[in-house]
Amino acid sequence: GTRFSMAAYKNIMYFTNGVDNFFGYNGIVCTDYTGANTYKGKYIIVANDIGYILGDPSVPSSLAYTAATPANFNTFPNVLVLDEDDSSGKGTGLANLEATVIAFKNKKIYKVNVAAPSRTQLDYSNGGLGGRAIVRVENELFFQNSSGIYTLAQREALQGSFRAEPLSDSIKEMFDSISDTYLENSAGIYVSDLRNVYFFVDTDNNGVNDTVMVYSILNKSWTTYTGISANEGVVWEDSLNLPYFLIASALTGQVREIEVGTNDNGNEINAEARTKAWNFNIPEQLKTVEGVDIFGFITEGSQIQFNILVDNEDRSGDVFVNGDNYVSGVMSGYSYGVRPLGGSTLGG
């Protein structure tokens, strides 16, 4: 089936999928919207009390929008043409940073101002892929395209100065293994309590998300989770306002909680951290590494085993390591308040 995007406005939830008529649900009945100024858009958002819809395949370069503070989103009477050349790609996502609306196509990105109205092209080559993988992270937007994962934000003091910067160079090999077709299945979420951004991706290129790429805002680094197949993630709060990080399993039709506890349903969670590779040139020359410091979080009582690889071959036995494992003790001082990583009944 097709995937929906949705937006809530004045107690009505609006749904659209780029194929069928968009419709609204008021808690009692669903209403299809057809006729003039209606669109079969793929993406819909609300920003500053204005509704936007993008991705109707019949008008791929048109961003339609409502007036300010309309009574409803039954119609989108205003249109801003992003580019006159439809060959520049289809609409692939919508998002906003404060008052600025960002429209993504698979080959271009635009900053939109409907007050003028006007649009400014921000990207001239790669655009964005996977509307569900556009993630608001504090004052930035994380998004993906065929070249990797990027962050888009205002980079200068001058208001409106936006620029995209790459984030995924360290996981480029894994990211490059995903075809553009399956990048559109990706989904993303920012979990502010953990300060982590999660991308659920399909590295096997079979239509099922099988891997989670996790970016830490704290230490600016990536971790990859395997064994988790998720179509979507959400942070849900119960009646006591306690948060739970939930995923929708891509295999079992179940909702599961992750990132809680210190084991995987009673089993140890194996992890591997790999440093950058060094090229010392001159093969016959003796090289001495006087020290390597590795920083990270570890659960109390857990053990880390160090290995050394030379040309991807484990040569730990040939190299002296002053202590090749570490068992954590009680943390001194104060805690950063980061919950330990773990999960219950992950994957299928």
Side-chain angles (χ1 to χ4, degrees):
T2 56
R3 299 183 185 275
F4 286 87
S5 65
M6 60 200 74
Y9 182 73
K10 291 189 176 180
N11 297 319
I12 298 178
M13 184 68 75
Y14 295 89
F15 299 84
T16 189
N17 63 12
V19 176
D20 305 302
N21 298 326
F22 81 98
F23 65 93
Y25 176 64
N26 64 3
I28 301 175
V29 297
C30 291
T31 303
D32 267 16
Y33 300 109
T34 60
N37 300 323
T38 61
Y39 295 87
K40 296 180 179 180
K42 180 68 174 176
Y43 306 99
I44 186 171
I45 65 168
V46 182
N48 307 298
D49 292 322
I50 298 175
Y52 298 83
I53 192 167
L54 174 70
D56 187 322
S58 65
V59 282
S61 293
S62 294
L63 172 66
Y65 57 98
T66 68
T69 321
N72 52 56
F73 288 173
N74 294 1
T75 62
F76 293 80
N78 306 298
V79 174
L80 177 65
V81 178
L82 298 177
D83 52 66
E84 299 295 341
D85 182 7
D86 287 345
S87 66
S88 65
K90 61 183 180 180
T92 56
L94 280 174
N96 73 294
L97 281 171
E98 304 301 336
T100 303
V101 172
I102 307 296
F104 292 83
K105 300 184 73 176
N106 61 330
K107 295 183 180 179
K108 295 179 182 179
I109 302 174
Y110 293 91
K111 180 183 67 172
V112 174
N113 177 11
V114 297
S118 63
R119 84 285 189 275
T120 302
Q121 189 169 336
L122 301 178
D123 184 281
Y124 289 83
S125 56
N126 292 318
L129 291 172
R132 297 186 307 129
I134 301 171
V135 186
R136 174 74 176 269
V137 183
E138 299 173 0
N139 294 317
E140 299 178 280
L141 284 178
F142 284 32
F143 68 97
Q144 62 178 16
N145 59 33
S146 57
S147 297
I149 296 175
Y150 289 77
T151 171
L152 178 68
Q154 182 173 307
R155 305 295 181 188
E156 302 173 8
L158 181 63
Q159 185 175 3
S161 300
F162 285 84
R163 187 171 71 248
E165 294 184 348
L167 281 178
S168 58
D169 288 350
S170 61
I171 55 171
K172 178 175 174 54
E173 183 177 351
M174 173 177 288
F175 193 89
D176 286 349
S177 69
I178 309 172
S179 74
D180 288 1
T181 298
Y182 295 108
L183 278 177
E184 298 197 17
N185 294 338
S186 300
I189 183 174
Y190 175 48
V191 181
S192 58
D193 285 351
L194 300 177
R195 302 296 301 279
N196 285 340
V197 188
Y198 297 80
F199 288 90
F200 306 101
V201 296
D202 177 10
T203 60
D204 286 339
N205 295 304
N206 62 5
V208 178
N209 291 339
D210 53 66
T211 300
V212 189
M213 297 178 177
V214 187
Y215 184 77
S216 169
I217 302 300
L218 289 174
N219 56 32
K220 311 298 182 186
S221 63
W222 288 94
T223 302
T224 301
Y225 295 175
T226 58
I228 300 180
S229 297
N231 284 325
E232 194 79 72
V234 67
V235 176
W236 172 75
E237 292 187 356
D238 64 13
S239 58
L240 300 177
N241 296 322
L242 297 176
Y244 300 85
F245 182 17
L246 307 177
I247 60 168
S249 173
L251 299 175
T252 64
Q254 297 175 327
V255 174
R256 299 182 175 182
E257 183 182 11
I258 63 171
E259 300 289 48
V260 62
T262 56
N263 62 74
D264 180 5
N265 199 27
N267 299 316
E268 292 183 352
I269 300 174
N270 296 319
E272 177 183 281
R274 180 171 295 198
T275 69
K276 62 176 287 187
W278 286 280
N279 182 358
F280 295 99
N281 299 318
I282 315 177
E284 64 274 13
Q285 179 175 317
L286 176 67
K287 293 93 177 177
T288 301
V289 179
E290 295 185 355
V292 175
D293 294 321
I294 300 176
F295 299 90
F297 298 107
I298 181 173
T299 302
E300 181 180 343
S302 298
Q303 179 173 306
I304 294 178
Q305 180 75 36
F306 294 95
N307 297 88
I308 297 175
L309 282 74
V310 178
D311 294 334
N312 290 322
E313 179 183 351
D314 192 336
R315 302 292 295 275
S316 303
D318 300 336
V319 181
F320 173 74
V321 180
N322 184 17
D324 64 352
N325 65 74
Y326 171 74
V327 179
S328 64
V330 178
M331 181 181 294
S332 60
Y334 60 91
S335 169
Y336 286 106
V338 178
R339 297 175 65 188
L341 300 182
S344 53
T345 319
L346 302 182

